Amino acid sequence: YHVFPRYAPGGFVGVDIFFVISGYLISLILFKSLENGRFTFREFYARRIRRLFPALLLVAGACYAFGWFALLPDEFRQLGKHIAAGLGFVQNIVLWHEAGYFDAASAQKPLMHLWSLAIEEQFYLFYPLSIWLVWRSRLNVAACVAVLCAVSFLFSEREAGRNAAMAFFSPHTRFWELLLGALLAYTQMQTHTQALQQTP
């Protein structure tokens, strides 16, 4: 979609699906480790760092090297801001505040795609602790996740008609997609556990 938008319409839906899949996969790992009593925050975040940072640093370094030789000073300065925002996982916030008539076109921002990674990492800053607390308190995990998902979805629906840029880039209007994936993961895990218990 990014390369041939005229020939592959509907690319924005791919981001929504990506968030649901991400929430599903990470939550499945989280729920299983909690169920087995092997969850640690250190291991959770170490896995995220090992998975993300090698490729992220390579992309940021390549863009910086290219920009050093190919961009004008103002363009290079903006690239530096976007590299810092990408590495700090706040690219979505930067792009949200840059959205406007006089801003540079999206196609001229080589690290724009890091906005979705920023939302993911913002979600994973609070999500593991929240689930751990719910699990330790023996509360209904599915109900808690469903409530958070519904609240985020309502925020998304409200802002879509009022501030499209905010609805697109803001974390609290996107978290419902990751939480939907989490709800699917928990439901599947519970169904599998019940099936094993009923097996003679």
Side-chain angles (χ1 to χ4, degrees):
Y1 171 75
H2 284 282
V3 180
F4 303 110
R6 291 177 57 191
Y7 303 105
F12 291 109
V13 178
V15 177
D16 301 317
I17 295 170
F18 164 75
F19 282 141
V20 175
I21 292 172
S22 176
Y24 170 83
L25 293 175
I26 298 298
S27 294
L28 204 55
I29 294 169
L30 179 60
F31 293 146
K32 285 182 178 179
S33 61
L34 284 167
E35 190 173 52
N36 296 330
R38 295 199 305 262
F39 174 76
T40 66
F41 290 101
R42 180 178 179 177
E43 176 60 22
F44 179 86
Y45 289 111
R47 288 181 64 154
R48 297 297 297 167
I49 291 169
R50 289 195 300 268
R51 179 176 174 266
L52 296 175
F53 269 86
L56 181 59
L57 291 174
L58 177 63
V59 169
C63 286
Y64 186 87
F66 176 81
W68 179 267
F69 294 103
L71 298 180
L72 296 172
D74 285 347
E75 295 170 334
F76 188 64
R77 194 162 26 251
Q78 185 188 51
L79 175 64
K81 181 175 76 169
H82 282 258
I83 288 174
L87 294 175
F89 302 115
V90 292
Q91 178 74 322
N92 59 320
I93 306 299
V94 169
L95 291 170
W96 168 16
H97 291 292
E98 284 183 353
Y101 182 81
F102 294 104
D103 190 50
S106 298
Q108 297 175 9
K109 299 177 181 178
L111 294 174
M112 183 175 181
H113 63 285
L114 294 181
W115 75 267
S116 57
L117 180 62
I119 286 185
E120 257 199 306
E121 297 316 303
Q122 289 158 15
F123 177 75
Y124 292 127
L125 279 178
F126 91 92
Y127 175 67
L129 177 60
S130 302
I131 292 298
W132 180 79
L133 289 172
V134 167
W135 199 281
R136 286 287 299 270
S137 303
R138 300 187 180 279
L139 298 173
N140 187 313
V141 175
C144 291
V145 171
V147 167
L148 290 173
C149 183
V151 170
S152 175
F153 180 76
L154 290 174
F155 272 119
S156 178
E157 285 295 297
R158 187 187 71 173
E159 296 302 333
R162 298 166 57 180
N163 188 335
M166 178 182 178
F168 190 84
F169 289 119
S170 178
H172 69 278
T173 59
R174 286 290 189 169
F175 281 177
W176 71 270
E177 295 166 313
L178 291 142
L179 289 164
L180 181 60
L183 198 56
L184 291 171
Y186 187 78
T187 303
Q188 183 193 22
M189 192 182 77
Q190 290 299 103
T191 302
H192 181 68
T193 300
Q194 291 170 5
L196 288 176
Q197 291 173 347
Q198 293 171 2
T199 303

